């Protein structure tokens, strides 16, 4: 007779937050990937210091920013984003309690602009997404996961989701 194994409990007090903002800086507009890569390294370091995990999607001049952590950690990072002049029109699509992180291996997964991302978003205009849109938020989470998967070592900017 085998002994049943119990899954470990989730992290207490964990929240998942997703927001969308318009990005206003030349590195994005000019697709300067050297500058953008340096910024991603800084953002990943900042998330790791706050014990946050999450993801960033960039497409058509908009950021989708997913954060996982304690309410205080998430709140602190959201305030940084809202105060950052690179982000305008920041809108919170969803924030909810969760039992486990979806991006636990990622301080900040990244999905950059590509024709596959644009095709996936063709019926979802990021700039027009309204606050408190949990269905849009869930669509974006699934989209990002389809590109990056669970293992940061396997993903690249041009990783293709299974449905493409």
């Amino acid at each position: 007779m085998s002994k049943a194994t119990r899954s470990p409990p989730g992290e207490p007090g964990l929240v998942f937050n997703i927001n969308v903002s318009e990005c206003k800086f030349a590195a994005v507009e000019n697709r300067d990937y050297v500058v953008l890569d340096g910024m991603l390294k800084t953002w990943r370091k900042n998330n790791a210091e706050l014990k946050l995990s999450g993801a960033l999607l960039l497409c058509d001049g908009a950021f989708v920013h997913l954060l996982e952590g304690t309410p205080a950690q998430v709140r602190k990072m959201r305030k940084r984003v809202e105060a950052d002049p690179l982000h305008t029109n920041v809108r919170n699509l969803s924030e909810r309690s969760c039992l486990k992180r979806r991006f636990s291996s990622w301080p900040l997964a990244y999905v950059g602009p590509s024709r596959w991302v644009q095709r996936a978003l063709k019926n979802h205009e990021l700039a027009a997404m309204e606050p408190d849109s949990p269905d849009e938020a869930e669509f974006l989470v699934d989209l990002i996961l389809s590109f990056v998967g669970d293992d940061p070592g396997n993903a690249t900017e041009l990783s293709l989701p299974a449905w493409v």
Side-chain angles (χ1 to χ4, degrees):
M1 184 169 169
S2 65
K3 188 176 181 179
T5 59
R6 295 173 67 177
S7 37
E11 294 178 61
L14 190 64
V15 296
F16 174 82
N17 175 273
I18 181 168
N19 61 68
V20 176
S21 66
E22 294 167 32
C23 53
K24 302 290 182 199
F25 59 104
V28 170
E29 293 166 3
N30 299 329
R31 295 187 178 207
D32 186 338
Y33 295 113
V34 173
V35 172
L36 188 55
D37 185 57
M39 295 173 83
L40 283 166
K41 287 177 182 170
T42 299
W43 296 335
R44 286 177 174 140
K45 181 178 146 288
N46 292 343
N47 276 10
E49 286 173 358
L50 288 173
K51 296 182 175 55
L52 292 168
S53 54
L56 182 71
L57 179 143
L58 172 61
C59 188
D60 293 332
F63 277 127
V64 176
H65 196 197
L66 292 82
L67 294 170
E68 301 168 322
T70 67
Q73 294 161 333
V74 168
R75 198 169 28 255
K76 185 172 184 176
M77 182 56 73
R78 282 199 57 224
K79 285 182 179 181
R80 281 187 190 176
V81 169
E82 290 168 353
D84 188 334
L86 302 178
H87 299 273
T88 60
N89 195 20
V90 179
R91 290 149 348 261
N92 189 42
L93 299 184
S94 178
E95 184 166 309
R96 64 180 189 275
S97 297
C98 59
L99 294 177
K100 76 177 218 179
R101 297 173 188 251
R102 289 173 152 178
F103 296 90
S104 60
S105 300
W106 295 90
L108 187 64
Y110 174 70
V111 177
S114 71
R115 65 178 181 222
W116 298 285
V117 172
Q118 288 176 326
R119 186 177 349 160
L121 288 170
K122 70 180 176 188
N123 296 322
H124 303 269
E125 190 176 336
L126 294 175
M129 287 185 180
E130 296 292 326
D132 301 317
S133 302
D135 292 339
E136 292 283 19
E138 199 57 37
F139 164 78
L140 292 168
V141 171
D142 291 343
L143 174 66
I144 291 170
L145 284 170
S146 73
F147 278 88
V148 301
D150 296 328
D151 181 2
N154 290 333
T156 68
E157 178 181 325
L158 298 178
S159 296
L160 294 177
W163 46 264
V164 172

